Amino acid sequence: MCELGERLRRAREEKGLSLREAAERLSLKARVLEALEECRFAELPEPALARGYLRRYALLLGLDPEPLLALYPRGPEPSFSPAPPARRPQRVWLLLLLPLLLGLGYGAYRLLRPEPAQVVQIPSEPLPHAPQRHPLRVVSDPPGARVYLDGFYLGQTPLETPPLEGGRRVLRLELPGYQRLEEVLLLDRPLSLNYRLLPAPAQAPAPPAATPVPSGKLVLRLEGRSWLRITQGEKRVYEGIPQVGTELAFDLPVEVRAGNPGAVRVFLEGQDLGLLGEPGKPLTRRFP
């Protein structure tokens, strides 16, 4: 894999996005992004359009597009063939026949020329625009609630974020002793949101016990959204973003790569090892 594709793939994994989700946000086909990440430039459209796709993808992943565009291969240089050697002077009688030959050739052209075809001008596809970004401000009563956007931890209320990519986003607030709040936002302009959190019921039902895990198994329970890649030796056995509440079991030894480790709880041979890592900090961990 080339340096360009490695940068794109690593940035996508750190954001916890699959190829399909990234393609849906850019309104592109997943095979276009896959060709960029795997440096299969021959499968992409013309260079001007492909470079536009690369720019949009870099902006989606929070990367500066200019260094990546510099890594995109340019087309082959035009080749020039040497001029043919000058011919030797022809005989005088050929010069006398030249006007006659030109006249005959022009007459044959006028008789045999085809009808001119209609030329249709096809407008070129406009270059894609960079996605709109807007800031977000979240305040809660009481303050100190943990704020998640599309499953990624942003901080605690009161919170003001830098400009974020616009579109439909899922906002979630969590505070111990209070009911969790979750709603879908349309981030199409700067938003300032205020929420009043409701106390949790006095006697909340106990969470269901974890399913007994047989010896030699690793179980991952998704308590939030996170991209995962699981490998056993050289074989990739799973890659994707499971639904919240999903439990995945794998034979040991196994290597786990997570985009949001703070959303993944680990059970090793029935023992709860806690969360895989800190929220929003991708890591790779091996379980022998």
Side-chain angles (χ1 to χ4, degrees):
M1 182 179 293
C2 64
E3 181 182 359
L4 170 62
E6 179 63 21
R7 289 187 183 181
L8 293 174
R9 183 191 62 79
R10 185 168 59 248
R12 174 177 60 79
E13 292 179 356
E14 291 178 355
K15 279 188 169 290
L17 291 175
S18 65
L19 281 172
R20 180 178 60 81
E21 289 181 330
E24 289 178 354
R25 292 192 181 184
L26 295 175
S27 298
L28 296 175
K29 295 182 178 179
R31 59 183 177 83
V32 173
L33 303 186
E34 183 179 9
L36 283 172
E37 289 191 4
E38 297 184 4
C39 304
R40 302 198 305 268
F41 304 115
E43 300 178 14
L44 295 170
E46 60 270 25
L49 191 57
R51 290 167 71 86
Y53 290 160
L54 175 56
R55 180 182 295 275
R56 288 181 60 195
Y57 196 19
L59 291 172
L60 172 66
L61 300 178
L63 300 176
D64 184 1
E66 298 305 326
L68 300 178
L69 290 171
L71 296 175
Y72 191 89
R74 301 183 178 274
E77 297 293 335
S79 59
F80 299 92
S81 57
R87 296 185 177 180
R88 295 181 180 179
Q90 303 293 326
R91 299 188 180 185
V92 177
W93 60 272
L94 291 178
L95 296 177
L96 297 177
L97 289 177
L98 183 59
L100 177 61
L101 294 175
L102 291 176
L104 292 174
Y106 180 71
Y109 165 74
R110 293 293 301 271
L111 291 175
L112 301 177
R113 67 176 180 177
E115 291 295 328
Q118 183 179 4
V119 178
V120 179
Q121 189 75 19
I122 301 177
S124 59
E125 182 178 347
L127 293 177
H129 297 286
Q132 297 295 321
R133 306 177 74 87
H134 307 284
L136 177 65
R137 181 173 181 268
V138 183
V139 177
S140 70
D141 181 20
R146 295 169 63 87
V147 181
Y148 297 85
L149 191 65
D150 291 341
F152 290 94
Y153 176 67
L154 299 182
Q156 295 182 342
T157 58
L159 173 70
E160 293 188 12
T161 71
L164 303 172
E165 182 181 342
R168 294 177 63 85
R169 313 297 295 271
V170 178
L171 180 72
R172 188 172 84 247
L173 274 66
E174 295 182 355
L175 183 64
Y178 290 84
Q179 298 182 26
R180 186 175 70 172
L181 185 147
E182 183 171 321
E183 71 172 358
V184 178
L185 303 176
L186 180 58
L187 190 59
D188 57 354
R189 64 187 185 281
L191 292 180
S192 180
L193 306 174
N194 290 272
Y195 297 99
R196 178 179 295 275
L197 302 180
L198 300 177
Q203 294 182 350
T211 304
V213 181
S215 176
K217 289 282 188 178
L218 175 77
V219 173
L220 305 177
R221 178 189 297 168
L222 275 296
E223 298 183 353
R225 287 177 56 83
S226 174
W227 171 87
L228 292 177
R229 182 177 65 204
I230 313 299
T231 56
Q232 292 177 332
E234 299 297 328
K235 181 180 179 182
R236 183 180 302 178
V237 296
Y238 178 82
E239 181 174 3
I241 303 178
Q243 295 292 329
V244 177
T246 301
E247 289 190 357
L248 304 175
F250 303 96
D251 293 326
L252 298 175
V254 67
E255 182 180 274
V256 179
R257 172 74 175 174
N260 183 22
V264 183
R265 183 168 297 275
V266 180
F267 296 88
L268 181 62
E269 297 185 340
Q271 181 181 0
D272 186 355
L273 301 184
L275 297 178
L276 185 62
E278 298 182 23
K281 294 185 178 181
L283 63 75
T284 301
R285 185 173 174 185
R286 182 172 179 81
F287 297 89

